[in-house]
Amino acid sequence: QNRQGLPRKWSMEGDYRAWVSDGDLDGTPGLRCFIEAADELVTALRELAHSAQASGVPHTSSPHNFHVAEVSRRLQTVNFRESAMVACYPGERRGRYLRHCDTGRGAALTVILYLNDAWIDEDGGQLRLYDEGFHNTQVKADIDPVFNRLFLFWATEECPHEVLVAKKDRFAVT
């Protein structure tokens, strides 16, 4: 509601969130499993360039190797993880999150796991990515929040994004 007690017509953040720290994971084995797997994935991505160099593959021999080396380089300074955020965008309220960049957290990478079974396009709630630059309006991609989809993107102005209006309850762990 707004200050006058009237229903809001819109809000920047139309979701419910719970922050889950490592100490809170004891009663949530599924969430613990995801967090540990995400940690292992980021560690493996950080170490990829070193593995390629150790095997004698020059990092500039192909565009793929260049990107592997660049990802690894950018993750070299990553040495901690934030608490996990479990979010629900309620369909009844047409939950959404307006365009933003994840720069305020000081993070390098955003990792999202979607938990939405039997999701279809008409349910909305897509993650819309824009081309680089906070004010860029060119849509790069719309990502459906389908069950068990893992999506990673840089937490910089390279990846402005928003969550489109959800018409069905939408769940994710970030």
Side-chain angles (χ1 to χ4, degrees):
Q1 293 183 344
N2 66 15
R3 292 182 189 168
Q4 291 79 35
L6 301 172
R8 284 192 252 186
K9 293 183 181 176
W10 65 272
S11 67
M12 179 162 172
E13 302 171 5
D15 61 334
Y16 296 110
R17 295 180 221 155
W19 297 93
V20 183
S21 68
D22 288 348
D24 298 324
L25 292 174
D26 290 338
T28 56
L31 187 55
R32 176 182 296 284
C33 181
F34 165 67
I35 301 259
E36 289 172 356
D39 286 348
E40 289 175 17
L41 174 62
V42 171
T43 299
L45 289 170
R46 187 174 55 232
E47 294 172 355
L48 273 175
H50 300 296
S51 299
Q53 288 173 351
S55 67
V57 177
H59 74 279
T60 57
S61 64
S62 76
H64 169 74
N65 287 342
F66 170 78
H67 293 296
V68 166
E70 180 62 12
V71 168
S72 178
R73 182 191 66 75
R74 291 179 68 173
L75 291 176
Q76 289 306 303
T77 60
V78 174
N79 58 9
F80 74 96
R81 170 185 35 80
E82 301 170 306
S83 295
M85 179 183 75
V86 180
C88 171
Y89 291 81
E92 181 179 294
R93 290 190 17 224
R94 301 295 193 244
R96 66 173 300 177
Y97 199 116
L98 295 180
R99 182 163 73 193
H100 64 284
C101 295
D102 289 348
T103 54
R105 301 182 351 243
L109 190 68
T110 297
V111 178
I112 302 174
L113 177 66
Y114 293 110
L115 307 171
N116 308 295
D117 200 20
W119 198 266
I120 58 173
D121 283 345
E122 291 78 24
D123 294 331
Q126 288 82 5
L127 178 70
R128 174 164 285 170
L129 297 171
Y130 294 91
D131 283 339
E132 184 173 349
F134 181 77
H135 297 290
N136 197 327
T137 58
Q138 182 64 44
V139 175
K140 183 185 291 189
D142 285 339
I143 309 301
D144 290 327
V146 297
F147 180 75
N148 214 24
R149 174 169 283 158
L150 182 68
F151 191 73
L152 291 75
F153 58 93
W154 297 117
T156 66
E157 286 200 14
E158 293 168 89
C159 298
H161 57 283
E162 68 179 310
V163 176
L164 301 179
V165 170
K167 299 172 190 158
K168 175 173 137 178
D169 290 351
R170 174 194 186 274
F171 298 93
V173 178
T174 304

